[in-house]
Amino acid sequence: MILSRRELLQAGVSAAALAVGGPVVAGMRTRPIPRSGEELPVIGMGTWRTFDTAERAALVQVVRTLFGAGGRVIDSSPMYGRSETTVGEVLEDLGEKNRAFLASKVWTSGKDEGIAQMRESIRRMGRVDLMQIHNLVDWRTHVPTLRSWKDTGAIRYWGLTHYSLSAFAEMESIVRAEKPDFVQLPYSVGVREAEQRLLPACGSQGVAVLVMRPFEGGSLFADARRRPLPGWAAEIECTSWAQIFLKFILGHPAVTCPIPATSNPAHMADDVRAGFGRLPDEAMRRRIVKDLLG
């Protein structure tokens, strides 16, 4: 029988650990954005699929839970249907427009088309702190615009994203040549190709890293169903598989912030706890890989 994440949580996490809106220890871990030194909380939130809806009652609670734990990063894209609009509406509902660190993307070809799309993203979300070139679409055209917008204060940071491992070589080349502020990439305990060259390049070039797909679209939980939470989880202060998966990612020094996507407030309450307590050192990270993947 395949257990859902909710069932795994019920089996392995205390009610107190998942109490949405319950007390959370102040002071989520932060890491500096290399270009500026600005401290960014280490657990954020993606919005692919989860925010592509006008029904936002649960999403208000998701974002409230993120903020309540000290998180700030919310990432979206015009590719994600209604998500940017929903993010703006949720922040309006919460009265928290100025609290979030908002990231979106340009996902079109052409200078004028890119400018129009980015202006629309800013209108929908209220502002954008970090504008990224989504999947490297027409990146050579957009880089000068993003640099100009950063210089004038229209955005504060610019970056690149790609979901495909086959794009890592090109991303590494751009990181070294163009020095973006951020890169967003896929990385997890099960998909570690970024460790080979791209994460080290980001570390050496002073590029902040957002991590998409930290749970591999949920497939990591399907694998975890076959085993109880390991005894060594207590050594890194984890009470759930989600926290183990997120802390594995945060154990890499080049990572700034993973951005798991969820529409479930209980899942967000679980995720944010990875931002507290001990992180795995490299020996523990190797143990996690060995124990989970053999």
Side-chain angles (χ1 to χ4, degrees):
M1 179 180 66
I2 297 176
L3 299 179
S4 67
R5 185 178 177 192
R6 181 185 294 275
E7 290 166 328
L8 284 167
L9 290 173
Q10 290 170 342
V13 185
S14 69
L18 289 178
V20 177
V24 176
V25 178
M28 180 188 283
R29 182 185 300 272
T30 64
R31 284 184 172 164
I33 299 170
R35 292 280 183 259
S36 67
E38 177 184 357
E39 294 288 334
L40 210 59
V42 297
I43 300 296
M45 184 187 76
T47 60
W48 183 57
R49 291 184 176 175
T50 54
F51 272 60
D52 186 15
T53 176
E55 298 296 325
R56 60 182 189 270
L59 301 179
V60 168
Q61 189 65 8
V62 166
V63 176
R64 180 180 286 120
T65 301
L66 175 69
F67 287 170
R72 294 174 52 219
V73 179
I74 301 175
D75 176 81
S76 195
S77 171
M79 181 187 181
Y80 302 167
R82 197 184 188 278
S83 294
E84 289 178 317
T85 297
T86 302
V87 167
E89 291 172 349
V90 166
L91 293 174
E92 179 73 27
D93 291 346
L94 288 170
E96 295 282 14
K97 283 187 174 182
N98 297 323
R99 188 168 181 179
F101 181 96
L102 295 173
S104 197
K105 307 175 183 79
V106 55
W107 183 59
T108 189
S109 296
K111 178 179 178 179
D112 291 343
E113 293 82 356
I115 288 172
Q117 188 178 76
M118 291 189 292
R119 284 175 173 165
E120 179 63 12
S121 293
I122 291 170
R123 185 194 69 79
R124 291 171 176 173
M125 297 179 76
R127 74 169 193 287
V128 171
D129 298 285
L130 163 63
M131 188 66 77
Q132 304 154 100
I133 303 170
H134 201 161
N135 295 340
L136 303 184
V137 173
D138 201 11
W139 69 265
R140 290 178 178 84
T141 296
H142 299 314
V143 165
T145 300
L146 292 176
R147 284 192 172 128
S148 174
W149 280 29
K150 180 181 175 181
D151 289 343
T152 62
I155 58 174
R156 298 197 296 130
Y157 303 100
W158 72 275
L160 314 164
T161 83
H162 212 296
Y163 71 94
S164 175
L165 307 184
S166 65
F168 280 6
E170 184 177 10
M171 291 180 80
E172 180 191 351
S173 176
I174 299 169
V175 162
R176 296 187 184 281
E178 304 292 344
K179 305 295 191 293
D181 301 315
F182 278 79
V183 160
Q184 184 177 151
L185 52 80
Y187 179 49
S188 73
V189 68
V191 178
R192 302 187 304 281
E193 283 81 354
E195 293 177 352
Q196 297 170 12
R197 295 186 59 91
L198 186 50
L199 281 172
C202 290
S204 69
Q205 300 301 312
V207 177
V209 175
L210 301 182
V211 173
M212 68 175 84
R213 293 181 56 81
F215 306 138
E216 287 305 303
S219 65
L220 291 179
F221 294 111
D223 294 337
R225 76 187 188 278
R226 298 192 299 267
R227 65 190 79 196
L229 203 68
W232 48 255
E235 298 179 31
I236 52 173
E237 300 179 61
C238 289
T239 58
S240 74
W241 285 108
Q243 292 166 33
I244 290 172
F245 299 147
L246 290 169
K247 285 198 173 187
F248 171 84
I249 293 168
L250 288 170
H252 196 292
V255 169
T256 309
C257 178
I259 49 171
T262 183
S263 58
N264 185 320
H267 292 176
M268 178 55 72
D270 184 34
D271 293 344
V272 294
R273 292 181 182 273
F276 299 85
R278 292 187 296 274
L279 292 178
D281 59 16
E282 191 54 36
M284 175 60 81
R285 278 167 37 88
R286 289 195 298 269
R287 181 177 183 183
I288 291 171
V289 171
K290 181 179 179 181
D291 284 4
L292 296 185
L293 304 177

